[in-house]
């Protein structure tokens, strides 16, 4: 009688232990389903590369496990379902049928769903990294059943779940991370403004940042550098001044103000006798990123914006050691003037024979022949453009940087004028 009682008591405690293990196992599977599946591969890659040292370790352990998300999901759900289905079997031997149902529902709901998912939703990364070896073993155990189901899900739903943000969503996300949003973000106002400006730059065109020709200071190539003109150039405070021929809409080049330091105003030297540099011509619908890439090459930090819009630019396909120059087809008219038939017909790649590409600690720079960018007008007639190729504005690197910063850049002359 005592032996039978002891056997029943031992069987009772064994059943209780199994029930506790089943509830804990079901809770773990339920919590991991929420904790691991809520972490996208993009989130884990970001944490693995730029998170805190602890988050990097956890993300590195979890990444191999969640790489096949459908296989992991099937494994966790199969294990969770098996433990919940086995629980009433062991409870039925201890209590009545209705008691087994009531207790199993209560245990599963409280300790198998609510508490585990609440904990794993907050500490899913740490818990997932701790039980990653156990999950690997479960994947192999459930592989014969979970693998066919996961492959079917891959075929029906696709195997890519990388939740990359769109440009507008990323801009909003950056704004929410600013300290001005009041959500604990670390980004300052200037940082969020610059990031937002960089994201918007691809949507803006040259016409959005250019200075209209009516507000542009330019000088006639036939003018003389007398005291009045020199003083006017000095008062404007620009480092580069566009040069036009006959009409202001026909801008043919630019002069660097620093090159005028050696000229005496009393000599009244004609503008065409000083060094006039070539100036690129770009359409108004050219993306700002493309013009910024051209400015970075150092050929010119100023460009003329023309009316023509049906032009093709391919400025982003340049490679190291190749210089992109403007391919201009020109022909002489009967009057002896040079007429440009298509001033920016295409961007064409030429082997870099004169330009040498080199890198330094501060980035990539061009070392080129200075004479290649000088406008030769002594022995050649001046160009006269068609009506649809006339200038409508000027754009400089400073204009593009202002669009990037989304703020005006004031130099010393601007400050003096404002005062």
């Amino acid at each position: 009688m005592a032996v039978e009682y002891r056997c029943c008591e031992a069987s009772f405690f064994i059943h209780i232990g199994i029930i506790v293990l089943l509830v804990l196992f079901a809770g773990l599977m339920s919590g991991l389903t929420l904790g691991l599946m809520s972490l996208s591969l993009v989130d884990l890659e970001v944490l693995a590369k730029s998170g805190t040292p602890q988050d990097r370790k956890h993300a590195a352990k979890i990444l191999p496990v969640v790489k096949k998300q459908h296989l992991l999901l099937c494994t966790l759900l199969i294990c969770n379902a098996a433990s919940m289905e086995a629980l009433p079997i062991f409870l039925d031997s201890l209590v009545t049928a209705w008691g087994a149902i009531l207790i199993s529902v209560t245990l599963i709901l409280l300790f198998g769903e609510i508490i585990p998912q609440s904990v794993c939703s907050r500490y899913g990364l740490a818990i997932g990294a701790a039980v990653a070896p156990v999950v690997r073993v479960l994947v192999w155990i459930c592989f014969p059943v979970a693998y066919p189901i996961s492959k079917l899900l891959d075929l029906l739903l696709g195997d890519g779940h990388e939740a990359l943000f769109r440009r507008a969503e990323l801009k909003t996300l950056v704004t929410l991370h600013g300290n001005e949003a009041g959500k604990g973000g670390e980004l300052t106002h200037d940082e969020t403004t610059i990031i937002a400006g960089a994201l918007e730059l691809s949507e803006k065109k040259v016409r959005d940042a250019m200075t209209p020709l009516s507000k542009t200071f330019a000088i006639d190539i036939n003018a003389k550098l007398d005291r009045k003109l020199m003083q006017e150039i000095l008062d404007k405070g620009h480092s580069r001044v566009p040069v036009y021929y006959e009409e202001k809409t026909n801008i043919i080049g630019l002069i660097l103000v620093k090159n005028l330091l050696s000229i005496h105003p009393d000599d009244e030297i004609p503008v065409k006798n000083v060094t006039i540099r070539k100036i690129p011509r770009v359409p108004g619908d050219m993306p700002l990123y493309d013009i910024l890439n051209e400015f970075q090459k150092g050929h010119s930090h100023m460009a003329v914006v023309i009316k023509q819009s049906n032009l093709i630019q391919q400025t982003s396909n340049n490679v190291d050691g190749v210089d992109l120059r403007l391919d201009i087809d020109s022909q002489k008219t009967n009057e002896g003037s040079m007429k440009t038939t298509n001033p920016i017909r295409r961007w064409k790649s030429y082997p870099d024979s004169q330009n040498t590409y080199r890198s330094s600690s501060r980035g990539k720079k061009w070392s080129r022949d200075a004479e290649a960018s000088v406008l030769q007008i002594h022995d050649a007639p001046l160009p006269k453009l068609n009506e649809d190729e006339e200038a409508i504005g000027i754009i400089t690197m400073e204009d593009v940087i202002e669009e990037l910063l989304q703020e005006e850049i004031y130099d010393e002359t601007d400050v003096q004028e404002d005062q």
Side-chain angles (χ1 to χ4, degrees):
M1 188 71 178
V3 175
E4 184 178 354
Y5 175 76
R6 289 176 182 175
C7 290
C8 291
E9 185 180 5
S11 177
F12 174 79
F13 285 108
I14 290 175
H15 280 69
I16 292 297
I18 294 175
I19 291 171
V20 172
L21 290 177
L22 289 175
V23 172
L24 294 177
F25 185 73
L28 179 62
M29 294 299 102
S30 177
L32 290 177
T33 302
L34 177 64
L36 293 181
M37 300 308 299
S38 63
L39 296 172
S40 67
L41 295 178
V42 176
D43 295 333
L44 290 175
E45 288 177 0
V46 170
L47 291 174
K49 294 178 180 179
S50 58
T52 63
Q54 194 69 17
D55 289 343
R56 292 181 184 180
K57 294 179 181 179
H58 293 163
K61 293 180 181 179
I62 295 177
L63 264 174
V65 178
V66 301
K67 211 163 190 181
K68 297 182 178 179
Q69 292 185 325
H70 285 154
L71 180 60
L72 175 63
L73 177 63
C74 293
T75 300
L76 296 177
L77 292 180
I78 289 173
C79 293
N80 188 28
S83 60
M84 288 191 296
E85 292 297 329
L87 184 61
I89 298 176
F90 292 94
L91 283 173
D92 190 52
S93 60
L94 300 179
V95 295
T96 59
W98 63 270
I101 296 175
L102 183 61
I103 295 174
S104 64
V105 170
T106 304
L107 291 177
I108 290 299
L109 182 62
L110 184 61
F111 298 101
E113 296 290 342
I114 298 178
I115 295 178
Q117 290 192 11
S118 300
V119 174
C120 288
S121 64
R122 186 173 182 84
Y123 304 103
L125 189 66
I127 296 175
V131 298
V134 178
V135 176
R136 287 173 179 268
V137 174
L138 294 176
V139 169
W140 283 107
I141 294 175
C142 302
F143 190 81
V145 180
Y147 181 75
I149 301 176
S150 66
K151 293 303 292 183
L152 180 61
L153 292 176
D154 290 343
L155 292 175
L156 295 177
L157 304 177
D159 56 354
H161 299 281
E162 295 186 0
L164 294 176
F165 290 100
R166 295 182 178 88
R167 191 179 301 274
E169 296 171 342
L170 188 58
K171 180 183 175 183
T172 303
L173 182 65
V174 170
T175 304
L176 292 177
H177 279 71
N179 51 23
E180 292 183 345
K183 300 181 182 295
E186 298 179 353
L187 298 179
T188 64
H189 172 73
D190 290 336
E191 290 173 332
T192 55
T193 302
I194 292 174
I195 295 174
L199 293 174
E200 294 176 355
L201 201 62
S202 61
E203 302 175 357
K204 294 182 179 181
K205 306 297 182 181
V206 168
R207 68 170 69 91
D208 299 325
M210 73 175 188
T211 301
L213 201 62
S214 58
K215 299 181 180 180
T216 302
F217 172 68
I219 59 177
D220 189 353
I221 194 172
N222 293 318
K224 294 183 179 180
L225 292 170
D226 53 13
R227 189 172 298 277
K228 179 181 178 181
L229 182 57
M230 294 281 280
Q231 185 63 43
E232 188 176 3
I233 294 174
L234 182 62
D235 293 338
K236 293 297 181 180
H238 301 314
S239 59
R240 296 169 177 83
V241 178
V243 177
Y244 65 89
Y245 172 60
E246 292 185 349
E247 299 179 1
K248 196 174 181 179
T249 55
N250 183 30
I251 296 179
I252 60 175
L254 63 90
I255 59 173
L256 299 178
V257 176
K258 64 181 181 181
N259 291 341
L260 305 181
L261 294 175
S262 59
I263 297 178
H264 199 281
D266 294 337
D267 295 337
E268 296 187 354
I269 298 177
V271 174
K272 61 183 178 181
N273 290 349
V274 301
T275 302
I276 301 178
R277 307 181 69 87
K278 297 177 182 178
I279 185 169
R281 310 182 65 82
V282 298
D285 58 353
M286 185 177 186
L288 283 185
Y289 267 126
D290 291 344
I291 189 66
L292 179 60
N293 291 332
E294 292 303 314
F295 284 156
Q296 285 179 310
K297 294 176 183 178
H299 300 303
S300 176
H301 286 182
M302 176 183 288
V304 180
V305 185
I306 61 176
K307 288 183 180 179
Q308 197 168 348
S309 59
N310 55 343
L311 304 173
I312 300 176
Q313 284 76 239
Q314 296 178 351
T315 61
S316 59
N317 297 329
N318 59 312
V319 295
D320 292 354
V322 177
D323 180 22
L324 293 178
R325 299 190 183 91
L326 193 59
D327 182 35
I328 301 178
D329 292 337
S330 302
Q331 61 182 10
K332 291 186 177 180
T333 60
N334 296 331
E335 294 80 10
S337 62
M338 182 183 295
K339 184 177 182 181
T340 306
T341 59
N342 207 348
I344 183 169
R345 181 165 55 89
R346 64 186 179 273
W347 291 94
K348 185 175 181 181
S349 299
Y350 293 91
D352 187 27
S353 57
Q354 295 179 340
N355 294 1
T356 303
Y357 190 72
R358 61 182 177 87
S359 61
S360 65
S361 58
R362 298 182 60 184
K364 299 176 179 179
K365 297 182 178 180
W366 288 93
S367 175
R368 64 185 185 280
D369 184 8
E371 297 297 331
S373 60
V374 175
L375 186 65
Q376 304 295 335
I377 62 174
H378 300 290
D379 299 327
L382 296 175
K384 180 65 176 177
L385 301 180
N386 295 332
E387 184 177 350
D388 60 344
E389 299 165 355
E390 294 178 348
I392 59 175
I394 294 291
I395 186 169
T396 64
M397 178 178 284
E398 183 176 332
D399 296 327
V400 182
I401 299 300
E402 286 179 347
E403 293 295 326
L404 178 63
L405 299 179
Q406 299 194 59
E407 293 180 354
E408 293 290 333
I409 300 177
Y410 298 101
D411 56 21
E412 297 82 358
T413 307
D414 295 329
V415 173
Q416 291 174 1
E417 290 177 356
D418 290 341
Q419 289 178 350

